[in-house]
Amino acid sequence: MNKAGNSTKRGAMRRPGQRIGFQTFRTLVACASVTVLAANLQAQDYSWNGSVNAGWATTGNWTPSGVPNGSDDNVLGLQTGVTSAFTNLNTNTGSATRTVGNFALTSGTWQLQSINNAAYSSTLDIQGDLAVSGGTLFFRNFGGTTTVLVSGTANITGGTVQFGIDTGVDMLDTVQVLGQTTVGSGGIVSIHAATAQFDGGILMNGGTVNLLTGTNPDTRTISTAYVEGGTG
């Protein structure tokens, strides 16, 4: 009992600088481990099946069901059995930024675009790497503006990547790759954008890089271009 007549439990509070016991430490470590595990479980790999419509934000269009949304979510290309698809990055009701970790394509033809509405824009923000080993990947401006950002590297070991299509209205507004872009043997990269910036340079390791022309002026910044048995 204290002087006021109230009971006081000893050890209920830890004084500043007092050491915690082993049991308390073990509990804290366990809680931290659970938190890390829960964060890891939220990361997901998705493939596009397009079974419902062309909307990126439609959960049924992805396998497993859900929507890639954040740097922990990777896009692994088209689902097995899907050979051709197109995906609208935004909607008829507004602009959109789609953020993913890594983005890959191994086969099939996949076109990602802004919807046909000049009032709205779309951005695909790849915070990891872009990797294409087969198939054809189109990034197209169908309406409004379309921007593709890659924070990591772009590795085109096979197949074709088109940043924009060689007609004026279908060119991208911006494509920017911060890391090195490598175009391997059998790989083709075509660039048609109002602003195309490859900060890490382009290594043409047996591949081909096409700088397309169209009705609109282009500005391209390639900090360093290395050519090893490629064309461009």
Side-chain angles (χ1 to χ4, degrees):
M1 301 284 290
N2 59 20
K3 292 182 179 181
N6 298 321
S7 61
T8 302
K9 293 183 179 180
R10 299 186 61 185
M13 297 184 62
R14 182 165 61 91
R15 296 188 303 273
Q18 180 182 352
R19 295 182 178 179
I20 62 174
F22 175 75
Q23 183 62 38
T24 303
F25 175 77
R26 187 169 62 179
T27 301
L28 292 174
V29 171
C31 291
S33 299
V34 170
T35 301
V36 172
L37 178 60
N40 290 337
L41 289 175
Q42 293 176 358
Q44 185 62 264
D45 293 339
Y46 292 94
S47 297
W48 176 265
N49 63 64
S51 60
V52 180
N53 52 38
W56 176 285
T58 302
T59 58
N61 284 332
W62 297 96
T63 302
S65 181
V67 177
N69 183 28
S71 59
D72 290 332
D73 292 337
N74 301 313
V75 174
L76 303 183
L78 301 178
Q79 179 179 297
T80 301
V82 177
T83 59
S84 180
F86 68 92
T87 302
N88 294 322
L89 294 169
N90 58 351
T91 68
N92 271 319
T93 58
S95 302
T97 296
R98 309 302 184 186
T99 303
V100 300
N102 298 317
F103 194 103
L105 183 70
T106 59
S107 64
T109 300
W110 195 6
Q111 178 171 292
L112 294 97
Q113 63 188 28
S114 288
I115 205 164
N116 189 14
N117 190 326
Y120 303 120
S121 63
S122 66
T123 298
L124 179 61
D125 184 3
I126 302 171
Q127 297 194 350
D129 298 327
L130 171 65
V132 175
S133 59
T136 301
L137 181 62
F138 290 95
F139 297 107
R140 179 189 183 194
N141 180 39
F142 194 52
T145 59
T146 305
T147 297
V148 177
L149 305 174
V150 182
S151 296
T153 62
N155 296 294
I156 319 303
T157 57
T160 300
V161 177
Q162 283 202 206
F163 295 107
I165 299 177
D166 192 18
T167 55
V169 296
D170 290 331
M171 68 189 297
L172 292 187
D173 181 66
T174 300
V175 54
Q176 182 177 19
V177 181
L178 296 182
Q180 181 173 277
T181 298
T182 302
V183 187
S185 178
I188 300 173
V189 174
S190 296
I191 304 168
H192 185 214
T195 299
Q197 188 166 335
F198 292 80
D199 299 276
I202 297 179
L203 170 62
M204 291 182 287
N205 190 15
T208 300
V209 176
N210 298 316
L211 300 180
L212 303 177
T213 59
T215 59
N216 294 327
D218 300 327
T219 300
R220 304 184 182 92
T221 300
I222 302 174
S223 56
T224 309
Y226 307 92
V227 180
E228 294 185 2
T231 59

